[in-house]
Structure formats: C-alpha cells, structure tokens
Amino acid sequence: MIFKKQGRVQKSTGSWYSVSTDTEQIYQCRLKGVFRNKGIKTTNPIAVGDIVDIEIESSDNTGIITNIHPRTNYIIRKATKLSKSTHIIASNVEQVIIIVSLVQPRTSTGFIDRILATAEAYHIPTVIVFNKTDLYDENVLMQLHNLRSNYESIGYKTIQTSAITGDGLKNLKHILKDQISLLSGHSGVGKSAIINKIDPNLNLKTGQISDYHLKGMHTTTFATMFPLSFGGNVIDTPGIKEFGLVEFEKVALGQRFPEIRCLMKDCKFNNCVHLNEPGCAVIAAVKNGEIAEYRYENYLNMLNSI
Ligand code: GDP
Ligand code: ZN
C-alpha cells in the first residue's frame, strides 16, 4: 500500500530528507529521480522549510518526495566562496531572529546590519534580541538603550534577554509562538541557552556543533528545523555565519536600509548611491543626525564589498 501526504522538510542529510506531517509523524524521504534535474540551479533541490508532497510505503516510515509547493521566500548563500552556484539555506521563513550580545562576545553592528539588509531583500521581518543583559555594566546598558531606540525608530522590533536571570524570555516566547523563525547569531551569544530555556523539550546544541564544524571535521553546513512545544518552529543554522547577498546591485543597496529607502527619493540624482554625490539627501541626513552614523558606515562598507 502507498499513501500520500503533505509535509514540511525539517532536515536534510545527504540524499535523505526528514519530513514532518500534520500528525507530527516524521518520514525519511528521498527525491524522485526525474525531479532532481528539473531546472533548479541550486546545489540542493530541496531545502529545510519546503512544503512537499510525499508518497509513503506503509511497510516502513520511508517515502518519496514527489512535488515541492511554491516557496513564499528562500534564503540563499553561495555554495562555496568562489562558486557561482547557490545553496538554499531555508525556505518559507516568516521571521528572522538575530541574537546578539554587547559583551562576551560583542556582536558588531556591521553583522547586525548585514543580516537586516539581507532579510529586507527577502522582505522578511526581523527581530533583534540583545542577550546576556545580566553582564552589561552601566556603560554597556547605555549603548543598549541607544541601539535599541535607533533600531526601533527605523522600524525593527528589539528585545533584551538574559538566559541567566530569565529576563525577557517570556517576550521572546511570545514572538516565536506559531511562527517559522530563522535564528541567526554568532556562536557564543547564547542562542542555545535561551531557546532551550524557552522550550526545555528542545536540546539545541548550536555552540557545540559550531565547534565541531570549526575543527574541520564536518564540511557541510546545514540547517535544521525544530518544532516548538508551544507552537511554531525555529530553524537553526549552525556553522552558517552569514547569508549570501547573491544577487545584488549598488543602486539597490539603499532599498535595504529603511531609513535610507525613505529619503533617497529626495536625492538630486536618481542613481545616487549616497557616497559623495552632490544634492544627496542621505548624506545630509547623516550630517544632521537623522540617520545614525554607524548605520551609514555599515552601509558604505557593504557598498564597497559589492
Ligand atoms: P550559542 O553558541 O549562541 O548557542 O551560545 P550558548 O548558548 O552555547 O552560550 C554560550 C555561553 O554563554 C555559555 O557558556 C552560556 O552559559 C553563556 N550564556 C548564554 N546566555 C547567557 C546570558 O544571558 N548571560 C550570561 N551571563 N551567560 C550566558
Ligand atoms: Zn543620495
């Protein structure tokens, strides 16, 4: 007997995909051969987050993926540094959660802004979580206040948490509930600590897996989706430091900074990249403090890297 079901890809290990269905049953599936070459130009035809149709043999819990449903979005990166082909990290992402810390280790605003700009390119809402607040002294708390109010003023949601005191974890739980959230953040900022504290059924081992990865014992990076016991899913991406801005043009970069986006129509030249052009409304806004200097510097760094 063969029966058909729909499910979501939670994990991929080589040629096998773990697909969970609405009954929360997990099936190990493979791709139907013909489908593999159906004009998809990524190194992985199926990604974590994909909604797929599967055919299951009742004799065991294995199946065959026969169809992928259209993706609402997908996050890609270059397969390798020099390669032109892309790898889909995850699809159908509803929000990106950037977990950062201002101490031990300090996350740079450059990192935050690159992730924000990437999520903007995919039109995915992003939340910035400032963790380890129990370790912040007065000076760092002031920086936290300034950063939070600036990001909030541009339109990003921010919260502060501590895995040690439990501060803010209720807030984060509320944000994660019933959503598909892609987690991002440098190793050591406390991703696993806060997620495991929010849902003790989970056993995220982000830090450990990244260490394993750094030692070069594991050469493939991968993403895994974990269901939350209170509803929703988180996608963890151990070993993936950044998402690629694969298709990218200089004049489009400003679109990915909300505060630049809403001023650039006032620039004298419509192909202005806000570097040193006369009559640039963005440069004027940086000078009068309307746009934060660090945001503009991060914009320029990204512009230079294109
Ligand atoms: P990950 O690599 O982002 O998953 O980071 P981990 O969750 O493994 O945490 C890295 C280290 O930071 C561990 O030693 C944690 O105990 C510690 N840590 C995580 N969150 C906090 C926090 O809010 N406050 C303090 N003081 N330590 C934390
Ligand atoms: Zn300009």
Side-chain angles (χ1 to χ4, degrees):
M1 249 307 265
I2 287 177
F3 58 102
K4 294 179 179 184
K5 272 185 179 289
Q6 195 185 91
R8 192 182 285 278
V9 176
Q10 304 240 312
K11 193 177 168 179
S12 126
T13 46
S15 50
W16 288 93
Y17 301 91
S18 306
V19 176
S20 77
T21 59
D22 48 5
T23 52
E24 288 181 25
Q25 174 79 44
I26 304 235
Y27 296 96
Q28 300 306 321
C29 300
R30 285 207 270 201
L31 260 185
K32 208 170 166 178
V34 281
F35 177 114
R36 202 175 262 280
N37 301 315
K38 233 178 173 178
I40 307 168
K41 285 188 189 69
T42 61
T43 52
N44 56 332
I46 297 277
V48 167
D50 280 346
I51 307 275
V52 293
D53 295 327
I54 56 177
E55 284 179 0
I56 303 149
E57 289 266 6
S58 52
S59 53
D60 59 11
N61 280 339
T62 66
I64 289 174
I65 296 173
T66 57
N67 180 41
I68 326 179
H69 291 226
R71 297 169 172 135
T72 57
N73 59 43
Y74 52 92
I75 293 180
I76 52 180
R77 60 182 204 117
K78 284 187 188 173
T80 61
K81 256 199 177 131
L82 298 171
S83 146
K84 275 195 181 135
S85 64
T86 57
H87 175 89
I88 304 178
I89 299 172
S91 72
N92 303 319
V93 174
E94 292 175 328
Q95 61 183 353
V96 171
I97 309 289
I98 313 180
I99 299 170
V100 307
S101 176
L102 296 183
V103 296
Q104 298 180 29
R106 183 181 176 95
T107 307
S108 69
T109 60
F111 174 82
I112 298 174
D113 290 347
R114 278 195 305 276
I115 303 283
L116 290 175
T118 306
E120 286 288 338
Y122 298 109
H123 306 289
I124 304 171
T126 308
V127 180
I128 309 169
V129 177
F130 292 90
N131 189 40
K132 303 202 184 186
T133 52
D134 59 292
L135 298 177
Y136 296 5
D137 64 20
E138 227 168 89
N139 176 29
V140 180
L141 284 172
M142 185 58 93
Q143 297 169 22
L144 172 71
H145 173 80
N146 291 339
L147 283 173
R148 284 195 63 186
S149 57
N150 186 57
Y151 282 117
E152 294 270 349
S153 76
I154 316 168
Y156 294 110
K157 191 173 180 64
T158 70
I159 62 166
Q160 57 189 69
T161 59
S162 163
I164 301 295
T165 66
D167 175 36
L169 294 185
K170 255 194 189 159
N171 256 340
L172 182 57
K173 184 172 178 175
H174 184 73
I175 288 167
L176 296 175
K177 188 173 158 45
D178 298 332
Q179 297 285 310
I180 296 175
S181 308
L182 182 83
L183 302 180
S184 126
H186 282 315
S187 138
V189 297
K191 266 197 291 181
S192 5
I194 52 180
I195 298 298
N196 292 340
K197 203 144 183 191
I198 285 177
D199 191 347
N201 296 332
L202 283 184
N203 193 11
L204 280 206
K205 294 178 191 144
T206 349
Q208 289 172 31
I209 297 173
S210 310
D211 285 348
Y212 189 56
H213 178 79
L214 285 176
K215 284 176 197 141
M217 297 164 79
H218 207 289
T219 50
T220 40
T221 46
F222 51 90
T224 307
M225 183 181 272
F226 296 93
L228 296 166
S229 62
F230 50 87
N233 287 276
V234 291
I235 302 171
D236 188 28
T237 57
I240 299 173
K241 288 207 183 74
E242 267 173 50
F243 320 130
L245 287 160
V246 176
E247 304 139 74
F248 210 59
E249 270 181 65
K250 281 197 181 201
V251 285
L253 182 61
Q255 299 283 354
R256 289 158 191 189
F257 284 70
E259 72 275 51
I260 293 179
R261 182 166 65 219
C262 69
L263 283 174
M264 53 200 267
K265 60 178 185 320
D266 300 330
C267 292
K268 187 171 172 192
F269 301 107
N270 61 11
N271 61 351
C272 188
V273 296
H274 329 299
L275 184 60
N276 50 23
E277 296 89 336
C280 173
V282 172
I283 296 170
V286 175
K287 283 191 179 140
N288 72 23
E290 216 179 307
I291 288 179
E293 247 169 69
Y294 76 90
R295 285 279 292 171
Y296 182 62
E297 271 167 30
N298 292 336
Y299 165 82
L300 289 182
N301 282 335
M302 286 179 69
L303 193 71
N304 280 331
S305 70
I306 297 171

